[in-house]
Amino acid sequence: MKQFWYAVTLLTGCLLYPSVASAQTTPGALLQQMERASQSLNYELAFISVSRMGIESLRYRHAVIDNKTYAQLLQMDGPRREIIQRGNEISYFEAGLEPFTLSGGRIIDTLPSVIYGDFNRLSSSYDFIPVGRARVADQVCDVIRIVARDGTRYSFIVWIDTDTKLPLRVDMLDRSGETLEQYRVISFAVDDGIRKVMQGLTKANMPPSLSLPPAKKQMFSWQVGWLPQGVKEVSQSRRDIPTLNKPVESRLYSDGLFSFSVNISPADKNSVPQLLRNGWCTIQTEVRNNTEITVVGELPPSTAKRIADSVSLGAKP
């Protein structure tokens, strides 16, 4: 398989104050407040995202105008790369590429998925553990660790500003405690002036929507026998991939924090069992009964392999 996946790796420490997150507010309630603040406030963040490709400096602006979400993610160094959200439309602008628009409810690039988590749902399969208090961007934050109860996924540590409830730092950790990805705010402002700055997006001309190949919906003859606790199927599709010259059947799964897909296609001379991992992303491929089974997503390798091993095949796709 010729795909390569990149993720961030950085070991960082943090001096925690001995006080617990909050004597009067549960960790789950604090996380819900974080999710609401991230989607309802008018604010601007300057933050860094650390990866094996280097450290990215970015600016994120968010505003709600006439009950509609407007947001902008801008890469601050190097070639200009900008992503703009206007309601349910996400538009991409990058040097050397034709701008395009996709449908979506939020900007997913670089921003941690945990910021938008449904913590009522997640509470059935994750523990929310208060760690203490610490300073980030000169603000006192409540620190909460999010850990899957069955031990099959990565974990998060989240620093939540005690005043605004915005997330000022998020670390994704593997099961040995190594930091795989880090989002860290350097400075921020919560101000209605941001709303005025974003007002111009309400009348801006955006690039046309990108037409994606239609997915062929059908009943699959194969099943996944084991999934981590709390994981549910989100969608399924069958597509003919021109570059592979063969059909691929896919099921997409998510637990609300992490997503992955299980992909089934006919084996060919290039099909070999293999494991590729870079940071938080794993590609686990197995070949069985002239069929290629590939699990791709935000999973530890042992979990991806267990899922692939559990797939039961019917007739060949």
Side-chain angles (χ1 to χ4, degrees):
M1 202 164 182
K2 297 182 180 179
Q3 296 172 326
F4 292 91
W5 296 83
Y6 297 96
V8 290
T9 305
L10 183 70
L11 290 173
T12 55
C14 180
L15 178 63
L16 297 177
Y17 296 106
S19 60
V20 298
S22 174
Q24 298 178 340
T25 307
T26 66
L30 283 172
L31 290 166
Q32 289 177 329
Q33 291 172 12
M34 174 194 72
E35 187 271 338
R36 287 195 296 269
S38 298
Q39 298 197 54
S40 63
L41 296 180
N42 301 316
Y43 60 93
E44 177 178 304
L45 306 171
F47 68 96
I48 59 172
S49 175
V50 186
S51 74
R52 289 183 178 180
M53 294 182 289
I55 299 177
E56 285 188 291
S57 300
L58 302 108
R59 184 186 70 204
Y60 180 69
R61 288 173 172 165
H62 179 277
V64 179
I65 303 172
D66 296 329
N67 296 317
K68 190 174 182 179
T69 297
Y70 293 83
Q72 178 200 47
L73 180 66
L74 179 66
Q75 185 172 298
M76 301 298 289
D77 300 321
R80 185 180 178 90
R81 182 171 184 266
E82 182 180 13
I83 304 172
I84 291 175
Q85 176 181 2
R86 188 166 65 176
N88 292 321
E89 296 180 340
I90 313 295
S91 299
Y92 292 79
F93 303 85
E94 188 167 356
L97 296 177
E98 195 70 25
F100 62 92
T101 297
L102 296 175
S103 296
R106 61 183 177 86
I107 296 175
I108 60 174
D109 305 64
T110 309
L111 298 171
S113 61
V114 70
I115 293 175
Y116 304 99
D118 180 349
F119 294 100
N120 280 327
R121 171 189 169 186
L122 292 169
S123 63
S124 64
S125 52
Y126 283 85
D127 287 323
F128 309 139
I129 305 168
V131 178
R133 281 186 167 177
R135 287 177 65 246
V136 175
D138 198 28
Q139 295 292 116
V140 176
C141 297
D142 290 314
V143 186
I144 299 171
R145 184 161 187 166
I146 303 172
V147 183
R149 291 182 186 143
D150 61 7
T152 61
R153 279 148 288 181
Y154 302 126
S155 62
F156 286 101
I157 301 180
V158 184
W159 284 253
I160 303 172
D161 179 27
T162 56
D163 293 330
T164 65
K165 307 305 179 187
L166 290 173
L168 300 189
R169 176 174 166 181
V170 178
D171 288 6
M172 183 195 294
L173 311 177
D174 67 13
R175 288 183 291 179
S176 66
E178 180 182 355
T179 303
L180 299 174
E181 182 177 58
Q182 185 181 90
Y183 152 96
R184 188 165 189 159
V185 171
I186 305 302
S187 64
F188 73 103
V190 178
D191 189 343
D192 278 343
I194 305 299
R195 186 175 179 275
K196 296 178 182 178
V197 170
M198 301 289 281
Q199 189 77 39
L201 293 179
T202 61
K203 298 180 180 179
N205 292 323
M206 291 295 153
S209 296
L210 187 66
S211 297
L212 298 176
K216 300 176 182 177
K217 298 292 184 179
Q218 65 177 45
M219 296 295 294
F220 295 159
S221 60
W222 54 274
Q223 297 292 332
V224 178
W226 178 84
L227 293 169
Q229 181 183 358
V231 169
K232 298 184 183 300
E233 182 176 317
V234 176
S235 64
Q236 62 175 250
S237 63
R238 185 182 189 276
R239 286 190 171 91
D240 295 318
I241 310 299
T243 56
L244 299 178
N245 196 30
K246 59 183 179 181
V248 177
E249 294 182 349
S250 299
R251 283 187 165 107
L252 177 65
Y253 297 91
S254 177
D255 66 358
L257 286 184
F258 299 104
S259 301
F260 62 91
S261 65
V262 180
N263 308 279
I264 304 294
S265 61
D268 56 30
K269 63 181 181 179
N270 297 316
S271 299
V272 293
Q274 62 179 319
L275 168 66
L276 298 175
R277 185 200 178 195
N278 234 321
W280 51 263
C281 195
T282 296
I283 304 174
Q284 174 74 50
T285 301
E286 297 191 6
V287 180
R288 192 192 321 150
N289 298 336
N290 293 319
T291 301
E292 185 176 293
I293 304 167
T294 304
V295 178
V296 181
E298 304 161 339
L299 295 170
S302 59
T303 303
K305 179 168 175 51
R306 186 175 176 184
I307 292 169
D309 289 342
S310 77
V311 172
S312 59
L313 301 171
K316 290 188 295 183

